[in-house]
Amino acid sequence: MSMKVNIYYGGRGLMDDPTLFVLNKMKEVLEELRVTVESFHLYELKNGITTLPQTLKNADGVILATTIEWYGIGGYMQQFLDACWLYGDKERISQIYMCPIVMSTTYGEREGKLNLATAWEILGGRPCSGICGYIADTAMLEENQDYIRIIEKKAENLYRTINQKMPCLPASNQAVKQKVAITKNINFTPQESEQLSQYVSDDTYVQRQKADIQELASLFRDMMGTGEKEDVAEFIEEIQNNFKPQPGFAANYKIIIEEKKTPLILEINGGTLHCFYGEESHADVEMRLTRECLKNIIAGKNTFQSSFMTGDMKMKGEFKVLRALDQVLVFGAGLTEA
């Protein structure tokens, strides 16, 4: 099984950011070692940071990287760590190694690196040896072969640590999490939980309100259904016409359209696609979206992945299987995720 490392960059993306130079070098080394590397620039995904903990599910290791320009690790990285604490799968995080990368153009790189390692330990994860340094000019890195060798060695050490599943000694930070810092289970999406006011933060009240809303929605759907039949052909022709077979790929998808009572099922097996409205006992990925959201995807304005990342669509299942759907269904001008 191939190794997967995710990079989460919390800087501003400036051209002369020394952290980006370090990340590019580490990515080159890891890819030479046949590691799959996926990068997430938080400043580009700032509207969907609360959904990013979902991307940790298939990662064996992560690199948390940021640049200290005046004080602290920055708001984007803090938002991502907050989201991991509130919405992340703690059981999955406990199996992931993390390498902190903090470059500074001012004072505080050591404290920043320590903050990232401490946060990951409190989340229950496994911290690795990282890199920190004061770099006033990125040219100092580019022209110094000794510095470049240090970066390359760190990438190799990260690979060995993950590959050999090296154990970590217990840390008091993890003991704190286990004893006194237990978070409540949240049954809402990040978008829903952020919209809750202090007056509806009581869990019993919220659950009762959700049940009432679901009952009313079901009642109105049934009432509407008595007057008109549901269109059981909508979207099917468009999906079938834009199917691009991928040899050897097989997966089942269940698309729940909020305005319809019956879900849309996609059964893909190599060169064949079976698309219909009905029930599916087993689906690799289950999606929930509005008719308008699906129309935008079919029109080529969005993809399934981008709709999930922006919060327009909810999803259960493996993220990589969702990404594969955008490879076999290419709509409009062929908008795809990088």
Side-chain angles (χ1 to χ4, degrees):
M1 183 177 177
S2 62
M3 184 185 298
K4 172 81 181 299
V5 171
N6 287 355
I7 296 175
Y8 300 91
Y9 166 68
R12 293 190 296 145
L14 302 179
M15 289 183 62
D16 58 347
D17 189 338
T19 305
L20 289 174
F21 177 82
V22 174
L23 290 178
N24 288 334
K25 283 294 177 185
M26 294 193 72
K27 185 176 180 181
E28 288 176 8
V29 174
L30 290 171
E31 288 180 341
E32 287 176 1
L33 296 169
R34 300 185 182 279
V35 176
T36 301
V37 181
E38 187 170 7
S39 298
F40 299 89
H41 290 186
L42 303 184
Y43 70 93
E44 295 177 343
L45 303 167
K46 56 187 176 183
N47 293 328
I49 287 179
T50 52
T51 65
L52 284 181
Q54 295 280 347
T55 62
L56 293 169
K57 290 185 177 180
N58 300 316
D60 302 295
V62 299
I63 296 174
L64 299 186
T66 193
T67 306
I68 296 181
E69 296 180 89
W70 75 282
Y71 181 78
I73 61 174
Y76 295 139
M77 182 57 70
Q78 187 63 58
Q79 278 184 268
F80 174 68
L81 292 170
D82 288 346
C84 289
W85 176 254
L86 293 171
Y87 314 116
D89 184 342
K90 304 299 194 305
E91 183 63 30
R92 184 70 191 90
I93 291 175
S94 69
Q95 303 169 16
I96 301 176
Y97 292 88
M98 187 280 291
C99 175
I101 305 294
V102 180
M103 295 291 109
S104 172
T105 57
T106 181
Y107 176 80
E109 70 280 357
R110 294 185 183 277
E111 289 80 359
K113 176 186 166 187
L114 178 61
N115 286 343
L116 292 180
T118 301
W120 197 252
E121 284 183 327
I122 293 177
L123 286 169
R126 305 176 180 183
C128 304
S129 174
I131 303 175
C132 67
Y134 167 71
I135 306 294
D137 185 352
T138 306
M140 293 172 56
L141 283 174
E142 297 173 349
E143 299 170 1
N144 192 311
Q145 292 301 315
D146 290 335
Y147 292 165
I148 292 175
R149 277 193 289 272
I150 291 173
I151 297 169
E152 291 173 343
K153 288 294 182 184
K154 286 294 182 180
E156 292 172 2
N157 288 339
L158 175 61
Y159 173 81
R160 294 191 191 97
T161 299
I162 298 173
N163 190 49
Q164 299 174 16
K165 300 190 184 309
M166 292 184 180
C168 299
L169 289 172
S172 59
N173 296 328
Q174 294 173 337
V176 169
K177 169 185 174 293
Q178 294 167 359
K179 292 184 179 179
V180 300
I182 305 300
T183 54
K184 295 180 179 179
N185 290 328
I186 299 177
N187 295 322
F188 304 101
T189 65
Q191 290 79 11
E192 289 173 332
S193 63
E194 286 180 351
Q195 292 169 0
L196 293 177
S197 71
Q198 58 179 334
Y199 300 106
V200 294
S201 59
D202 178 76
D203 187 66
T204 302
Y205 175 83
V206 170
Q207 294 296 341
R208 185 170 65 250
Q209 294 299 308
K210 287 195 73 176
D212 290 344
I213 290 171
Q214 290 175 348
E215 184 177 348
L216 284 171
S218 177
L219 175 63
F220 283 120
R221 279 199 301 266
D222 291 341
M223 291 173 63
M224 292 175 65
T226 59
E228 57 179 357
K229 291 186 178 180
E230 191 170 66
D231 184 356
V232 294
E234 188 178 18
F235 304 124
I236 290 180
E237 183 177 354
E238 293 92 333
I239 290 174
Q240 291 175 334
N241 290 342
N242 291 277
F243 177 55
K244 308 296 181 185
Q246 299 290 330
F249 176 72
N252 291 348
Y253 298 88
K254 180 178 183 180
I255 303 176
I256 300 174
I257 303 170
E258 293 182 359
E259 293 85 352
K260 291 180 175 289
K261 291 190 291 184
T262 309
L264 179 60
I265 306 299
L266 307 181
E267 294 180 347
I268 301 173
N269 189 0
T272 63
L273 166 64
H274 189 201
C275 182
F276 61 93
Y277 285 94
E279 292 296 335
E280 176 65 47
S281 59
H282 168 72
D284 300 293
V285 171
E286 180 180 307
M287 295 165 276
R288 179 181 293 272
L289 42 61
T290 64
R291 178 188 276 115
E292 186 64 27
C293 179
L294 185 55
K295 284 183 177 179
N296 288 335
I297 294 173
I298 290 176
K301 298 178 181 179
N302 292 319
T303 64
F304 288 100
Q305 182 185 348
S306 66
S307 298
F308 169 69
M309 297 300 288
T310 56
D312 293 332
M313 181 183 81
K314 301 174 187 177
M315 184 272 287
K316 294 180 182 179
E318 292 193 25
F319 188 71
K320 64 180 181 182
V321 181
L322 174 67
R323 292 188 63 187
L325 186 57
D326 289 320
Q327 305 300 317
V328 296
L329 294 180
V330 183
F331 297 105
L335 177 65
T336 57
E337 294 296 326

